[in-house]
Amino acid sequence: MAASLFVDSPLQLWEKPLDSCSTRKIVVIKLGGSVLTDENSYREAARFLVRRLHKCSREQFVVVVSARKGVTDELERLARGITNYPSQRTLDLLWATGEVRSVAMLTLHLEELGVAAVGFNIHETGLRFDGGSSSDCGVTSL
């Protein structure tokens, strides 16, 4: 998502029927820390999405957003300054603050550009993970 931004992972496109008489494209875009490098990169990402929306009105986006570059590492250093052995659950909770901030920043820029966008934290999406290894992507429901 951007003017001259690079996306961490390639766009994944697939057709998904939304009702009995039409098919729309759902485009999943992952924006990681290598894309979200500073405050301006959120504006550039939003502009990219707007251009993409104007190109093909049949597309709907699901944008997965990571924390801005360096934020996760900074939060982990902060946690380890408090305790050498933070629990994984507590680290995940702390790291989520960086991701939620990114979601809010991108959503604000999209709203400023006149795009109806809704930001979610991971718990609001309905995604469920079965606890298996990350290599088998054990998402059990959406």
Side-chain angles (χ1 to χ4, degrees):
M1 303 165 107
S4 57
L5 237 32
F6 298 98
V7 177
D8 268 353
S9 58
L11 302 181
Q12 300 171 10
L13 304 173
W14 67 89
E15 294 287 328
K16 181 176 181 178
L18 295 179
D19 59 38
S20 60
C21 62
S22 70
T23 301
R24 294 184 62 125
K25 283 186 179 178
I26 297 190
V27 180
V28 178
I29 301 174
K30 166 66 165 67
L31 294 177
S34 67
V35 173
L36 301 171
T37 58
D38 58 25
E39 295 305 318
N40 187 53
S41 61
Y42 293 96
R43 180 177 32 252
E44 294 304 316
R47 287 177 179 165
F48 170 82
L49 280 177
V50 168
R51 285 194 304 275
R52 182 75 183 254
L53 283 169
H54 289 304
K55 251 176 142 172
C56 183
S57 62
R58 290 183 56 229
E59 291 181 343
Q60 291 182 321
F61 297 134
V62 175
V63 182
V64 180
V65 183
S66 295
R68 193 183 74 220
K69 184 177 183 171
V71 168
T72 302
D73 292 338
E74 179 183 321
L75 291 169
E76 184 164 352
R77 278 191 298 278
L78 178 66
R80 294 197 187 277
I82 297 168
T83 178
N84 289 328
Y85 305 103
S87 72
Q88 188 60 52
R89 184 177 190 289
T90 304
L91 280 176
D92 288 344
L93 183 63
L94 185 59
W95 291 333
T97 64
E99 294 162 351
V100 169
R101 182 182 185 280
S102 280
V103 169
M105 293 296 294
L106 182 59
T107 303
L108 287 167
H109 281 287
L110 287 167
E111 290 171 349
E112 176 62 19
L113 294 172
V115 175
V118 178
F120 295 97
N121 71 42
I122 189 65
H123 304 292
E124 294 174 307
T125 65
L127 288 172
R128 301 285 181 257
F129 183 68
D130 68 5
S133 72
S134 60
S135 64
D136 62 2
C137 297
V139 174
T140 58
S141 68
L142 175 60

